[in-house]
Amino acid sequence: MQDVYDTCEKLRLYETDDFMTEQGPQISEWEPLEKLKHLQLLFSEHPYWGRELRYFNDAPWWYKNEFTVDDFGDHYELFFSNVDYYCKVWLNGMFVGEHEGYSAAFQFNVDEMINRGGTNRLVVKVWSPWETRIEDDEAGRRTFKVERNMVKGTYEHSDTFVARDVNPVGIYGKVILKQYRKAWFEGRTEFQYSLDETFHKVRFTLNVNLGLTENAEIHFQCRDHLTNEIRYRSSIKAAECGAYAFQGEISDIHLWNVWDRGTPYTYDVETWIEVNGDVTDRYHELTGFRRIEMKRTADETSFRLNGRKLYVRGTSYFPDNYISAMNKEHYKDDLMKMKSCGFNFIRVHVHVELPEFYQLCTEMGMGIIQDSEYNWTHPGSNEFAERFIRVFLENVDQLKKYPAVLCWICMNEPAGLEADQAGTGENSYGRAMDISPGPALYEAVCEHDPSRPAIKGSFCEKDLLSGDSHNYIGSLCGEDGHYTDIYGMTEKLNTEYGFDAPPCAENLMKVPAVYNRLKRLDDQSWTGKDAETITACTEAGAESICSIGEYQYRLLKYYTEYYRMQKYTPNAGYVQFLFSDIGPTSFYGIYDWWGTSKRGLDAMLESNMPIGIFAGYKEQLDSVYAVNDYDRDMGECEAVLMVTDLNGNEIYKASRKIHLLQDSKIQVFELNRRFGDHIDVALVLKKEEQILACNQYKDIYHMPTHVKGHPARMSHEFGIRLYDC
């Protein structure tokens, strides 16, 4: 029930709820829940947009559950997988504890509060409030200047990413009372390892903490997940509570890799406790042995996996405003789609997904760059910095067991969006980077997890603890400019670029109010109009879904290929923004929220595969490059270039034999010619009769102009881009 006046804590609801129906206090009644999800998903007809959503965050919510337990337990723990965002917990009228953050699991020892053999009453208060303070009181730039006081990237990001009125709240996942007899694991079980310089041998430590009432045996083993072979086994006798450690060495190990560079080889780490032959507690994790490093200089920002350079072909991922809407099946479907269009990296953008996602990435060989939830403007106080560091370190501790997580991002765009996109480095500085929380946050993350690199501030390209860039020229930088303006620029490592385009009209119609606001974009509205009218409307900037999608395709293709042709000179990879729409009113994805592809997907299918052949062009056709991101030599290949007019008549044809080495690029043709104003270009890369890659450019110099009204015009209540509707 929602505590609309926030008085139930003062009225001691955690002790009794007899007063709820009395005349004076004006308290709501309890409502049954069929499942634990974000409350907007359970109670709102339109959970992804609309001002009526604001009441979910205007006042706190209370949960109650009554249950019985037997009286045979020696130890009880109350476990919460996810509570969004603040919570306080009482059991049988006694205060258990409180927690901040939505993405890390937490638990409480309730041995002194549990009613053994009888009825227990669990009460939880949950709230996720709106923000009111705006930096420098710039109300006209509230989207960017509002001070986000929670460590939570899923709210107050209303630039058509997260809708204005969406601020998830509620208990989701699992709430479990864990009951133990005789012996149990306490706190965090942690498996750590280090590879020797040959990458063939691993030295490990498994640390456990024990609580027990009788003598016990702790067992540990490490199994090859593929063959089920036990590679290490050991046991320890335990007679008292406290810390125990297993240490050992395994030779002839197989390395975990991203899918296009090898096999994502994994091992099962298992430990369990036995008392008189009975297993009383058990722990398991799926791990992989690998070494990840970053090289960062004024000229280079690159990853090295298992001692070898690794080229990043990445996409950003934020599949739903509400994490509780996700499940293993949805994740697996998305990951299969990502692999099918060539991605080997995922940037989990300003949020944390469910554990099932990280497990699947580990199994499928998808590398992860994991953000914190620090995005744009936050309070500058030391109190907030301490809170933020504490909450993010909980996430680091929870996720660092997954070998797929290869890098942390401490802050996203900490200097705000006023910095220029041309890479002058002015965006490398600011209070968050230089004073608080940046320095302490970066140091704490590196101390908690020395096995991975961390990026201090994403978008701070010239900062040597960061080094990556974001580029929205021709996109979010305004109506002026064009995506081809990146020609001549260099970027060491790009971690954001993209363009937002609406879904197909059939899917928009599933949200009628949104469709009606964008109805003019429906391509069917052009049906029956004469050519002169269509031409006049187009020249006046009357866009359609089709034309916006075409611009998304052209921009993504141009950017992606431009980075590929700069492989390691200096570009070490890129991250396209975004894989799928976060909701039915946010359009950054190459897939929409319903899982339907957009025109932008074609750009990744053509330009994002491990092997590709690409044309460099702007005013003329400059060159052709072949690129191989696989960790294997492709041997002798043949590259073919065909230039025709728009009717298919041959203008120029050339072929060349090349040797395509592992993890390499090669300039196949140097042309520096225009070949006319309207031409088609076709490229083929083959090995004997096998086509390794192909590419086509229809009317290559036809480069559509930026969509009128994008990005500045939007409907704030819907959270949608208007494209001058």
Side-chain angles (χ1 to χ4, degrees):
M1 68 92 176
Q2 190 172 32
D3 183 7
V4 295
Y5 298 109
D6 192 11
T7 55
C8 284
E9 189 170 351
K10 182 178 181 180
L11 293 171
R12 307 175 76 86
L13 178 67
Y14 47 85
E15 292 180 351
T16 179
D17 55 16
D18 292 345
F19 62 85
M20 290 178 64
T21 54
E22 292 178 358
Q23 183 176 358
Q26 299 184 3
I27 303 300
S28 303
E29 294 185 79
W30 294 111
E31 300 176 56
L33 288 183
E34 296 297 322
K35 59 185 71 173
L36 289 176
K37 282 184 175 290
H38 282 105
L39 292 169
Q40 290 94 332
L41 294 177
L42 298 174
F43 292 129
S44 175
E45 184 179 355
H46 301 294
Y48 294 91
W49 58 269
R51 60 185 179 273
E52 69 274 10
L53 292 176
R54 299 196 72 81
Y55 85 83
F56 282 91
N57 309 91
D58 285 342
W61 296 78
W62 290 76
Y63 292 74
K64 178 182 74 167
N65 192 22
E66 294 181 349
F67 57 93
T68 58
V69 296
D70 62 45
D71 59 355
F72 300 112
D74 295 314
H75 177 58
Y76 296 86
E77 290 181 355
L78 186 59
F79 171 87
F80 294 82
S81 66
N82 302 90
V83 180
D84 193 348
Y85 174 79
Y86 298 104
C87 75
K88 291 183 177 180
V89 181
W90 292 266
L91 181 62
N92 297 325
M94 292 175 279
F95 183 64
V96 175
E98 56 191 317
H99 186 261
E100 175 184 359
Y102 71 91
S103 52
F106 58 96
Q107 57 193 36
F108 302 105
N109 181 332
V110 292
D111 289 344
E112 303 303 316
M113 305 168 190
I114 200 77
N115 183 9
R116 292 169 170 83
T119 299
N120 292 267
R121 185 172 184 267
L122 174 65
V123 176
V124 185
K125 179 183 180 181
V126 180
W127 68 104
S128 182
W130 291 114
E131 307 298 355
T132 57
R133 180 175 171 80
I134 306 171
E135 186 181 82
D136 302 323
D137 201 27
E138 289 191 54
R141 290 187 53 76
R142 188 184 192 283
T143 293
F144 310 105
K145 293 286 193 174
V146 61
E147 290 191 354
R148 299 155 179 86
N149 194 41
M150 294 187 287
V151 185
K152 178 177 178 177
T154 49
Y155 83 123
E156 295 287 7
H157 199 318
S158 56
D159 63 337
T160 71
F161 184 50
V162 177
R164 180 195 67 190
D165 303 305
V166 172
N167 180 358
V169 61
I171 300 175
Y172 64 101
K174 298 176 181 179
V175 180
I176 301 172
L177 181 71
K178 297 181 178 182
Q179 176 179 303
Y180 300 96
R181 294 288 312 277
K182 301 176 182 177
W184 55 90
F185 293 123
E186 287 188 330
R188 183 180 298 108
T189 297
E190 191 163 54
F191 180 76
Q192 299 173 312
Y193 67 88
S194 61
L195 284 164
D196 73 353
E197 293 308 309
T198 69
F199 295 97
H200 292 144
K201 186 186 298 183
V202 64
R203 185 159 189 81
F204 66 83
T205 301
L206 177 77
N207 294 305
V208 298
N209 279 282
L210 237 61
L212 72 168
T213 58
E214 298 184 23
N215 292 346
E217 274 193 309
I218 318 170
H219 302 278
F220 165 75
Q221 68 181 24
C222 180
R223 288 187 299 114
D224 184 314
H225 186 75
L226 182 63
T227 66
N228 226 24
E229 175 190 6
I230 295 175
R231 301 299 309 277
Y232 190 93
R233 176 180 279 170
S234 184
S235 299
I236 295 175
K237 290 190 179 294
E240 58 184 27
C241 298
Y244 293 85
F246 292 94
Q247 294 183 325
E249 195 173 87
I250 305 174
S251 300
D252 301 320
I253 53 98
H254 300 282
L255 297 176
W256 186 92
N257 250 306
V258 291
W259 65 268
D260 61 325
R261 297 294 295 267
T263 301
Y265 224 97
T266 54
Y267 292 82
D268 291 288
V269 171
E270 299 166 304
T271 182
W272 64 97
I273 308 170
E274 283 188 7
V275 178
N276 299 324
D278 295 328
V279 176
T280 62
D281 201 3
R282 184 183 296 272
Y283 173 83
H284 168 266
E285 73 176 61
L286 187 71
T287 193
F289 302 130
R290 50 97 186 115
R291 182 182 297 165
I292 184 68
E293 302 161 292
M294 285 185 79
K295 182 178 180 180
R296 283 176 279 195
T297 69
D299 302 314
E300 179 180 355
T301 302
S302 62
F303 284 99
R304 281 162 172 76
L305 180 60
N306 302 326
R308 301 282 309 278
K309 265 191 175 182
L310 171 63
Y311 194 79
V312 172
R313 301 186 313 279
T315 185
S316 288
Y317 192 54
F318 202 149
D320 202 286
N321 277 301
Y322 301 97
I323 308 302
S324 63
M326 297 301 294
N327 55 48
K328 183 177 181 180
E329 292 73 23
H330 193 155
Y331 287 137
K332 190 169 186 178
D333 186 52
D334 283 350
L335 288 169
M336 293 296 292
K337 289 176 180 176
M338 289 180 195
K339 289 183 71 172
S340 72
C341 53
F343 294 116
N344 63 358
F345 255 74
I346 302 166
R347 179 179 175 184
V348 182
H349 187 69
V350 295
H351 76 292
V352 177
E353 286 294 337
L354 298 175
E356 291 87 343
F357 169 77
Y358 300 93
Q359 181 87 356
L360 283 169
C361 287
T362 294
E363 295 170 1
M364 297 171 70
M366 294 292 286
I368 296 171
I369 300 174
Q370 177 63 53
D371 282 14
S372 79
E373 291 90 342
Y374 194 102
N375 186 69
W376 297 350
T377 305
H378 291 269
S381 66
N382 291 334
E383 182 272 336
F384 174 79
E386 291 171 2
R387 283 174 43 226
F388 185 90
I389 292 171
R390 182 176 66 251
V391 173
F392 186 43
L393 291 183
E394 280 191 329
N395 291 328
V396 170
D397 288 336
Q398 177 171 274
L399 299 180
K400 66 184 181 182
K401 69 179 182 180
Y402 298 103
V405 178
L406 298 178
C407 179
W408 307 109
I409 289 181
C410 297
M411 300 180 291
N412 180 59
E413 298 180 342
L417 302 184
E418 285 72 24
D420 78 306
Q421 294 279 345
T424 65
E426 295 303 319
N427 52 349
S428 296
Y429 308 102
R431 188 186 192 285
M433 284 291 286
D434 297 337
I435 302 174
S436 178
L441 175 61
Y442 180 81
E443 182 180 351
V445 170
C446 292
E447 181 181 341
H448 264 245
D449 183 16
S451 69
R452 290 176 179 84
I455 291 172
K456 183 180 178 183
S458 187
F459 188 38
C460 300
E461 184 176 8
K462 292 197 174 183
D463 178 74
L464 293 184
L465 299 179
S466 306
D468 62 317
S469 56
H470 299 173
N471 197 338
Y472 287 102
I473 290 174
S475 177
L476 300 181
C477 285
E479 288 188 64
D480 297 329
H482 193 267
Y483 57 82
T484 57
D485 293 343
I486 69 171
Y487 192 88
M489 292 177 57
T490 59
E491 293 177 67
K492 296 181 291 183
L493 174 68
N494 175 284
T495 51
E496 277 191 44
Y497 71 101
F499 184 83
D500 46 323
C504 63
E506 288 77 11
N507 282 350
L508 278 177
M509 288 177 184
K510 296 174 183 177
V511 193
V514 175
Y515 171 74
N516 288 335
R517 188 66 181 89
L518 295 175
K519 189 174 183 179
R520 191 192 57 76
L521 296 177
D522 187 349
D523 298 292
Q524 297 176 33
S525 65
W526 302 105
T527 303
K529 288 189 170 63
D530 59 78
E532 185 177 346
T533 301
I534 294 174
T535 300
C537 290
T538 303
E539 290 176 351
E543 304 292 346
S544 67
I545 290 176
C546 182
S547 64
I548 299 170
E550 182 67 16
Y551 188 86
Q552 182 192 51
Y553 160 76
R554 296 272 185 156
L555 179 146
L556 291 177
K557 184 175 177 67
Y558 198 88
Y559 266 85
T560 304
E561 295 183 355
Y562 190 71
Y563 294 138
R564 297 294 294 276
M565 290 184 286
Q566 292 185 37
K567 179 174 179 174
Y568 301 146
T569 58
N571 184 266
Y574 52 83
V575 179
Q576 170 265 335
F577 188 88
L578 188 68
F579 177 72
S580 56
D581 292 344
I582 191 172
T585 63
S586 182
F587 305 149
Y588 291 89
I590 54 176
Y591 281 90
D592 70 19
W593 183 72
W594 294 274
T596 304
S597 65
K598 303 180 191 176
R599 177 70 166 124
L601 174 66
D602 292 333
M604 311 320 293
L605 293 172
E606 295 168 10
S607 310
N608 191 54
M609 295 302 174
I611 297 178
I613 185 166
F614 312 116
Y617 63 95
K618 187 177 181 183
E619 302 298 334
Q620 60 181 13
L621 187 59
D622 293 333
S623 54
V624 173
Y625 283 87
V627 179
N628 176 21
D629 291 345
Y630 283 125
D631 198 24
R632 60 179 183 269
D633 191 329
M634 303 309 297
E636 187 175 273
C637 306
E638 181 183 10
V640 179
L641 162 67
M642 174 70 76
V643 181
T644 66
D645 64 23
L646 302 188
N647 294 317
N649 299 308
E650 181 180 320
I651 296 175
Y652 179 83
K653 184 176 182 180
S655 66
R656 181 186 170 192
K657 298 286 187 180
I658 60 172
H659 191 109
L660 194 57
L661 298 172
Q662 64 187 44
D663 195 24
S664 68
K665 75 167 182 185
I666 185 170
Q667 187 180 45
V668 182
F669 303 108
E670 186 175 2
L671 300 162
N672 299 318
R673 295 172 60 183
R674 185 161 176 86
F675 294 111
D677 293 334
H678 297 283
I679 60 170
D680 291 340
V681 176
L683 303 173
V684 177
L685 180 65
K686 59 184 179 178
K687 183 178 177 66
E688 298 175 347
E689 296 303 311
Q690 180 187 4
I691 303 297
L692 300 178
C694 58
N695 212 338
Q696 290 189 348
Y697 304 83
K698 297 292 186 182
D699 199 1
I700 193 169
Y701 301 125
H702 169 65
M703 302 172 185
T705 57
H706 196 111
V707 177
K708 188 173 177 59
H710 183 283
R713 285 176 43 72
M714 60 176 287
S715 167
H716 292 283
E717 186 162 323
F718 292 113
I720 55 175
R721 198 79 69 194
L722 288 178
Y723 314 96
D724 248 24
C725 287

